[in-house]
Amino acid sequence: GAVVSQHPSWVICKSGTSVKIECRSLDFQATTMFWYRQFPKQSLMLMATSNEGSKATYEQGVEKDKFLINHASLTLSTLTVTSAHPEDSSFYICSARARDRGFYEQYFGPGTRLTVT
Amino acid sequence: DAKTTQPPSMDCAEGRAANLPCNHSTISGNEYVYWYRQIHSQGPQYIIHGLKNNETNEMASLIITEDRKSSTLILPHATLRDTAVYYCIVTTSGTYKYIFGTGTRLKVLA
């Protein structure tokens, strides 16, 4: 099946700095990728839809200037958390939409745990 | 907001069938029901999906009521490795956006 990777798997950064998280589709091309955020013991919250070659579409309440998304190629989307603060500490998960077994589904990456100190 | 409601938690004895219900009473005609599960601190894993017919694959069975307002995921012989949070998601074939609800935390007991 389709594989999605994320890098890094975990990162610690100081408050006020920016952090970039990469999401790659390893064996397929993905025109659409999604970014989610998950706080401890909570469900996944969709942040934005990333389309290759165009601007991302952000969900209501998500600051687009704080969470910069770039989908420059069919296999790579990046999420940059700018001027990170401790409240941005969370588990960030990406997914890529693919038609692998005759139907569309989202393949999820393993997640990136961000801790802002 | 999520279009699904699920019980927050369930227990199941190892080797028995686990039946996880999901209510999606506002589902519309072009919306699919997808099931995923998330094992602790990992990305969600696809299980099964359906539109209106019952479906079965190597992992599970999906039973959708005739009015499509609810469904049940069945794990026929639960093992300890099936302990996870199970999410039922309703999505359209157009946007493919997933809005996750709170899910059901399934604990399989030895």
Side-chain angles (χ1 to χ4, degrees):
Chain A
V3 178
V4 174
S5 70
Q6 285 185 237
H7 179 80
S9 55
W10 60 269
V11 58
I12 302 172
C13 72
K14 292 187 183 300
S15 187
T17 62
S18 296
V19 174
K20 181 184 285 188
I21 302 170
E22 295 184 346
C23 176
R24 292 181 185 275
S25 56
L26 296 187
D27 49 1
F28 66 100
Q29 294 183 329
T31 55
T32 304
M33 292 184 172
F34 302 88
W35 286 95
Y36 298 83
R37 180 167 57 178
Q38 185 175 34
F39 292 109
K41 297 192 183 302
Q42 294 188 22
S43 183
L44 285 77
M45 186 198 81
L46 178 64
M47 299 175 69
T49 302
S50 170
N51 295 299
E52 187 267 337
S54 64
K55 290 184 178 180
T57 304
Y58 291 81
E59 295 298 304
Q60 193 171 7
V62 177
E63 300 175 62
K64 61 181 180 181
D65 294 330
K66 181 168 183 61
F67 299 99
L68 301 179
I69 292 172
N70 184 282
H71 193 157
S73 78
L74 287 171
T75 59
L76 174 64
S77 176
T78 60
L79 168 69
T80 301
V81 182
T82 63
S83 186
H85 291 287
E87 57 265 30
D88 298 322
S89 298
S90 187
F91 193 50
Y92 291 87
I93 306 172
C94 73
S95 71
R97 183 166 75 94
R99 188 180 179 92
D100 187 32
R101 294 172 282 187
F103 56 89
Y104 281 106
E105 63 181 275
Q106 288 187 29
Y107 292 89
F108 287 83
T112 295
R113 187 160 303 281
L114 169 64
T115 301
V116 184
T117 61
Chain B
D1 288 346
K3 290 188 160 190
T4 61
T5 54
Q6 299 175 252
S9 63
M10 292 180 65
D11 290 343
C12 176
E14 188 178 21
R16 304 296 295 266
N19 297 283
L20 292 92
C22 178
N23 181 287
H24 33 80
S25 58
T26 62
I27 193 170
S28 56
N30 64 343
E31 291 182 317
Y32 290 76
V33 179
Y34 278 75
W35 283 82
Y36 279 74
R37 71 182 181 184
Q38 185 180 27
I39 296 171
H40 183 63
S41 294
Q42 297 180 25
Q45 174 193 24
Y46 168 84
I47 302 172
I48 199 167
H49 79 286
L51 182 62
K52 51 185 174 182
N53 296 324
N54 297 338
E55 303 287 346
T56 295
N57 63 19
E58 64 278 4
M59 288 183 70
S61 294
L62 174 60
I63 308 298
I64 303 175
T65 57
E66 194 169 339
D67 63 8
R68 301 211 320 127
K69 292 185 177 182
S70 66
S71 60
T72 300
L73 177 75
I74 301 172
L75 306 178
H77 305 288
T79 71
L80 298 178
R81 287 179 295 181
D82 292 323
T83 293
V85 179
Y86 287 76
Y87 294 101
C88 165
I89 300 162
V90 166
T91 185
T92 66
S93 59
T95 67
Y96 291 104
K97 277 174 36 172
Y98 288 178
I99 305 300
F100 283 77
T102 54
T104 296
R105 187 173 298 274
L106 175 70
K107 185 184 294 184
V108 180
L109 306 172

